[in-house]
Amino acid sequence: MPADTDIQLWAQELQRLLQLAQEARQSGDTARIEDVQAQLRRFCEDSPKAAQALDDVATKAIFDLDLGVTEAALAGIRSRAAEVQALTKLIAGVAASTQAKAKVLSGETARQAIDAATSAIGSFKQLRDQLDTSDADMATVAASIDKTLAAVQALRNRLEKA
């Protein structure tokens, strides 16, 4: 596993595991599927706290592998891979911005705030995805989560530019 400090390497490792997950699901080999699930669980256990958003994706992929319908499982795993790519771009942007702005901001505080915002975004998205929006109350909650997500993302963007 990568060093605790290199989130981009953790994202690459998760991409590799998601590729293995897709191949295992396509093969239908239960032993391969269980092996990939174990690797994904180890990923979550070994990754640093700053990689919580990646851990969330890995956990979703574990559940995707449990799906009985192959096409649904593959679609879920593919969406997880796309999510990791988006997170990788975000991480790269945060890292570049943080490094460039380290002289302006106290680096550790800025990184902590950006990491916290990134983690919050992942958590809010996961919560929103779990809501049954056919229920009017849940749809209202989902809309509130979307507004909160927009506000947190705007704050994170400001921190990155500061």
Side-chain angles (χ1 to χ4, degrees):
M1 292 288 172
D4 280 355
T5 56
D6 197 341
I7 302 301
Q8 286 183 308
L9 290 177
W10 283 97
Q12 290 172 1
E13 174 64 11
L14 183 54
Q15 282 287 22
R16 185 187 70 78
L17 291 173
L18 291 172
Q19 179 63 38
L20 290 176
Q22 187 172 349
E23 292 167 2
R25 175 42 76 191
Q26 286 175 328
S27 75
D29 183 345
T30 306
R32 278 180 71 187
I33 291 170
E34 290 172 358
D35 179 58
V36 173
Q37 286 177 314
Q39 289 181 58
L40 287 164
R41 279 191 292 279
R42 253 190 326 278
F43 176 90
C44 293
E45 292 167 3
D46 295 344
S47 65
K49 287 183 181 182
Q52 181 60 48
L54 296 176
D55 291 348
D56 293 343
V57 173
T59 300
K60 290 176 190 175
I62 291 168
F63 293 128
D64 289 338
L65 284 169
D66 282 333
L67 291 175
V69 180
T70 301
E71 285 306 313
L74 290 175
I77 291 168
R78 282 187 207 109
S79 75
R80 304 295 168 237
E83 194 173 345
V84 171
Q85 285 179 336
L87 286 170
T88 301
K89 288 179 183 176
L90 176 66
I91 290 165
V94 169
S97 176
T98 300
Q99 289 171 357
K101 307 298 181 179
K103 293 179 183 175
V104 177
L105 298 172
S106 64
E108 185 59 30
T109 303
R111 273 190 295 277
Q112 288 174 352
I114 291 170
D115 288 346
T118 301
S119 178
I121 289 168
S123 296
F124 279 122
K125 284 181 179 178
Q126 185 177 13
L127 176 61
R128 182 192 62 206
D129 291 345
Q130 292 176 357
L131 295 176
D132 177 10
T133 55
S134 64
D135 179 297
D137 290 331
M138 290 297 115
T140 302
V141 171
S144 295
I145 289 172
D146 286 335
K147 287 179 185 175
T148 303
L149 270 170
V152 173
Q153 286 175 328
L155 174 61
R156 186 190 64 216
N157 291 343
R158 285 186 188 146
L159 286 171
E160 290 174 15
K161 290 179 184 177

